[in-house]
Amino acid sequence: DGFLTRGAKTLPIAAPLAEEPPGTEPVLALDGDGSYVELPPNIFDGLTEATVEGWVKWDRFEGDSRFFDFGAMWQAMTVSQVESTGDLRFEIWEPERKQHELRVANQLRRKEWTHVAAVSGPDGAKLYFNGNLVASNSFTGSFASVKNGQQNYLGRNNWKPEMAWIRDFQGQMDEVRVWKIVGTAAEIRANRFAKLTGREPGLVGYWNFDDGTANDASAGRHHGALQGTFHDLELLVLG
């Protein structure tokens, strides 16, 4: 079952450049079997540049499980692992199944916290892992290029209803943020450990799960709905 859990998050020393998310606090834990967060539709449709970031820990690599998937099948912005591998992928799908992809082989490790940031806009698409740029291309589109914001998920793949091999995300997330600006490498490295107030300039979505809900702590108030089976908060030391 999916649940929200309270944890002190640590990473094994073996993870290069990886550190822990800020604080000891609730995180979003999803069971990979029908638990996910559904955000309101059409909340980022007009953005011509954006940075989507968060702390993510995959417990299972299977079925293109998503960190996030904003849009609809064949028309979306997504970050996921790939098939049954630890490959990390950032995709933007324009209408008529036009795909722009960044993919980094064997970047992820099971049960390890990582910080992922997907940047899109006039300077091209960029994918950051633990504050380091790991992939880029010249595509200058963002949410506005997708032209579809009807189904916005954390932990669910928009392709799931049509493809039997797709799986929901199994693992944990924290400090999920969407900015309407292109984050620089220095900003991404510095801010990934910061606790935000929700009033930062350019912040348009912020889900920190600190109150045991999927409410948006930014001024946008794009509150999410927890789908599936969720338990009460419990104390769990991770690592």
Side-chain angles (χ1 to χ4, degrees):
D1 291 334
F3 58 93
L4 286 167
T5 183
R6 186 180 302 274
K9 295 174 285 294
T10 60
L11 288 172
I13 295 174
L17 302 176
E19 299 183 55
E20 64 180 30
T24 300
E25 58 194 25
V27 299
L28 177 70
L30 301 174
D31 67 359
D33 187 22
S35 295
Y36 60 96
V37 172
E38 184 171 7
L39 302 177
N42 307 311
I43 51 180
F44 305 127
D45 291 3
L47 299 185
T48 57
E49 59 184 71
T51 300
V52 185
E53 63 175 327
W55 286 93
V56 193
K57 184 178 74 168
W58 273 270
D59 289 343
R60 176 181 72 187
F61 296 154
E62 186 178 357
D64 278 8
S65 60
R66 303 290 205 222
F67 164 24
F68 66 83
D69 193 327
F70 297 156
M73 188 168 64
W74 309 117
Q75 222 172 320
M77 183 185 291
T78 80
V79 166
S80 68
Q81 57 82 215
V82 183
E83 298 176 352
S84 59
T85 74
D87 292 7
L88 178 65
R89 180 164 62 190
F90 172 30
E91 299 173 282
I92 301 177
W93 288 83
E94 294 184 282
E96 300 180 357
R97 301 191 179 190
K98 187 174 183 180
Q99 180 196 29
H100 306 274
E101 177 188 62
L102 297 177
R103 179 170 173 173
V104 187
N106 301 315
Q107 187 69 60
L108 301 169
R109 293 178 179 149
R110 291 182 183 88
K111 301 184 183 298
E112 291 188 4
W113 281 104
T114 57
H115 184 271
V116 178
V119 176
S120 56
D123 294 331
K126 297 179 174 66
L127 182 60
Y128 291 85
F129 182 84
N130 290 333
N132 297 280
L133 179 66
V134 292
S136 64
N137 67 26
S138 60
F139 176 62
T140 58
S142 187
F143 283 102
S145 302
V146 172
K147 301 186 186 305
N148 192 325
Q150 66 188 47
Q151 295 176 156
N152 299 320
Y153 298 132
L154 304 178
R156 169 149 289 203
N157 187 319
N158 266 306
W159 278 250
K160 183 177 174 65
E162 302 294 331
M163 299 182 181
W165 59 274
I166 295 293
R167 296 289 180 266
D168 289 331
F169 173 93
Q170 181 179 321
Q172 298 174 328
M173 302 180 190
D174 197 19
E175 292 290 321
V176 179
R177 306 161 181 178
V178 178
W179 305 81
K180 65 178 181 180
I181 53 177
V182 170
T184 67
E187 289 168 341
I188 290 169
R189 281 193 294 270
N191 289 337
R192 71 192 195 276
F193 298 115
K195 289 295 294 181
L196 304 185
T197 66
R199 299 185 297 275
E200 287 74 10
L203 185 67
V204 293
Y206 180 33
W207 299 271
N208 59 24
F209 313 110
D210 286 356
D211 63 356
T213 74
N215 286 345
D216 179 4
S218 80
R221 293 299 192 232
H222 306 305
H223 299 324
L226 299 171
Q227 305 293 345
T229 303
F230 285 81
H231 299 297
D232 294 334
L233 289 173
E234 61 182 74
L235 184 64
L236 177 65
V237 178
L238 307 174

